[in-house]
Amino acid sequence: MSEHSGTRVDSAQGPMHTGSGNIYFTAGPDLRESDRPSFRSIADDQLARLRRFLVAPDGMGEARSRLADTGTVILDGTPGSGRTSAARVLLREYHQDAGVLHELLPGEEGELSLKHPDLVGSGDRLLLDLSAADTARWAAAQADLPTLRKAVHDQHAHLVVIMLHDSALDPDLQHFRVEIKRPPERDVLRRHLRMHGVPREHYIPYIQSDPTVENFLHERRTMREVADFADLVRRAREAAPPGDGFTQWCATARKAQADRRKNVAALVARLRESPQRALLITVAMLHGAHADIIHRATQLLLRTAGSPSDNLPLLQHKDLAERLAEISADTGPDGHVRFTELDYDTAVRAHIWDHLPDLRQHLGTWSARSVDLNDPHLTRELRDTLVAQLAGQYLRTGHGAGLASLAETWSSTATGRARLEAAVQALTCGLNDPVHGRSFRERIYQWCVNKQPRDEFAQVLIRVCADVIAVSHPDQAMLRLYHLARRERGTSRAREALWDLVGTSHRLRRRLLARLARPGRTSAELDIFLRVCDPDPLTAPYDNARTLVEESGVQDSLTACWRAVLSELQRATWQPYVEHWLHTATVTGHRGDILLDLLVAAAAQCDNRRGAAFAALYASARHAERTPPAGPARATATTDRLLQKISAAQGLGPPTTSPQAEPARGTEQ
């Protein structure tokens, strides 16, 4: 066999070209350059905040003990008792480096069945929320729970199930059931007030006897309703004049919960002029924004809706203070504009959306143009708030499809990063909505599979998959990123996001390898494989010293993919990756033999290119000796072992053996 020169790439930090064809560079807004914190970080912060706010319900200690002893707990409880928050806090307490938090949604695209052996990874934290399931789905889940529980036990994982209340539970599962009972509402109110920074001396003496609190708690309240009331009290305190106390804050908060539809309708009826209504809408959508932003956005809304200017001389215009007074708003000492009544903006938004339907399309266009405004007072948080307010109206009225289409339109017309961020925020609102989340995940799946999204829209999809869906549904995120990556042209953003995601979990890497091993792989999929087959995580021990490369199912996937690589790609493309395998084989003991066996087995299946594949592997090994990780002697020994295995595969030497593979975990569905 003769040596052949090749290409070696170490620690590439930018675009590289290792084969034939064109290389593309794309200029334009790049969401990866954003200073926005990742949604995974936000999700972790939200879980930590939830734990601080949670008043442990009756049964929390027993649930914690049951989860620690068995790895599984089934929570029962009435709706509104705090069982969902308790479930998430229980799982957060088992946060560790290994495994991921994963909400199980059997039946959705990209989700495995509850009995699939690849559903559970080592150290995973699993939430199965069946509190809103129908009886058929609850019965099916119960039938699968024994198999799921065994996988959870074998993988040292933890599973929390929220069962359908007032439903029968199989006798074999009764041991895992713990009833969650609602904590005292006043304790929940105290905790939330304290966590909101309200000094204890401001509410402790009054919370037992305040008439407003008594009236509010007289009816049986859910934990969410108590939390919302506490937040309104916090906001009332912040807006109250000096001298007001807890009683006044609670009265203001309670008033904010009243039905204001008639009041808002009467106000809108009095505001007959376009500038008045435009100002009302702008303050409602950008509540708390600086007066400069309110003024500019109001003018922008008038232009967007096609309202003509009044043509009055500038000095004859009403000043902003007078105009704000007409809509019951004013400017505070900080220069920011708010309605004079607490939470009045919520009522205005609902009225405008419900009773001026022809304005909805213009509001979408106006919101996109508003986030593009260049103003130091227009912060990232304010842009997000504007989009969230608009998204809230779409979702409240059941128009999730309209919100999704709007996000797609914004991405297609984006001229800068701000509008792309707005599209991400709109889709995030839909994905996080408890009613519409599933339909948004399905729509994003269809976009990823069936469309060839232009660069800007592709960036938005990549972002929501990697940073939003992946937070609690990593399998669905991986599937969507995979479809984006295999159809990607001109960039590698989707592939990089996919590689980053599978790097968080051995289970995800196993699933992706199984999918890549399917027949009919494209060159793009082979490119994905070359990065996913990094031998370092494949040989890294996990869960009592097991490794992926020792699993028979993973070995089958690796062999199939390497055979396609050796048969279909130029040596210059794959040689750097083979050399990395060879270097790893030099320093990983018996697992190094497995790596060599897999390469040889793949070459042996190359049919009419079998001899050329063997020769190319040997030449790559000789080339790899130039940069040995553990000295030239060990590198030469690795080349000799590879040659022995090649000779044995060709029937020219004694057979070689390597450690027996572990049984397969399952096949990709």
Side-chain angles (χ1 to χ4, degrees), residues 642-659:
L642 177 68
L643 183 58
Q644 292 172 6
K645 294 176 183 296
I646 291 173
S647 298
Q650 293 177 310
L652 303 176
T656 61
T657 60
S658 61

Side-chain angles (χ1 to χ4, degrees), residues 98-110:
V100 296
L101 176 64
H102 183 193
E103 183 174 356
L104 304 179
L105 296 170
E108 285 198 25
E109 192 67 51

Side-chain angles (χ1 to χ4, degrees), residues 107-111 404 427 431 437-453 457 461-462 464-465 469 473 475-487 511 515 518 668-669:
E108 285 198 25
E109 192 67 51
E111 291 284 334
L427 292 177
L431 288 166
R438 177 169 184 164
S439 64
F440 270 77
R441 290 191 294 271
E442 173 62 25
R443 182 176 292 269
I444 289 171
Y445 175 79
Q446 296 300 331
W447 278 333
C448 294
V449 173
N450 298 321
K451 296 196 71 168
Q452 184 72 49
F457 188 36
L461 294 177
I462 293 166
V464 297
C465 290
I469 298 177
H473 307 97
D475 295 69
Q476 292 197 16
M478 183 195 73
L479 181 62
R480 286 151 179 75
L481 287 172
Y482 160 77
H483 284 295
L484 286 173
R486 72 185 182 85
R487 302 166 71 239
R511 283 201 67 188
R515 178 167 286 274
R518 292 177 172 183
E668 175 72 1
Q669 299 299 310

Side-chain angles (χ1 to χ4, degrees), residues 149-201:
R149 278 190 47 251
K150 184 179 186 306
V152 167
H153 179 270
D154 292 344
Q155 295 296 321
H156 306 289
H158 294 87
L159 168 68
V160 177
V161 181
I162 306 176
M163 67 175 286
L164 180 63
H165 184 55
D166 282 339
S167 296
L169 185 63
D170 291 345
D172 292 343
L173 298 172
Q174 285 290 347
H175 172 68
F176 304 98
R177 177 183 174 274
V178 173
E179 185 176 2
I180 292 295
K181 297 181 179 179
R182 53 192 297 116
E185 288 89 344
R186 276 188 175 80
D187 290 351
V188 176
L189 182 58
R190 288 190 193 96
R191 174 66 63 83
H192 279 263
L193 291 173
R194 179 165 63 86
M195 298 310 298
H196 284 316
V198 180
R200 288 172 54 86
E201 61 270 19

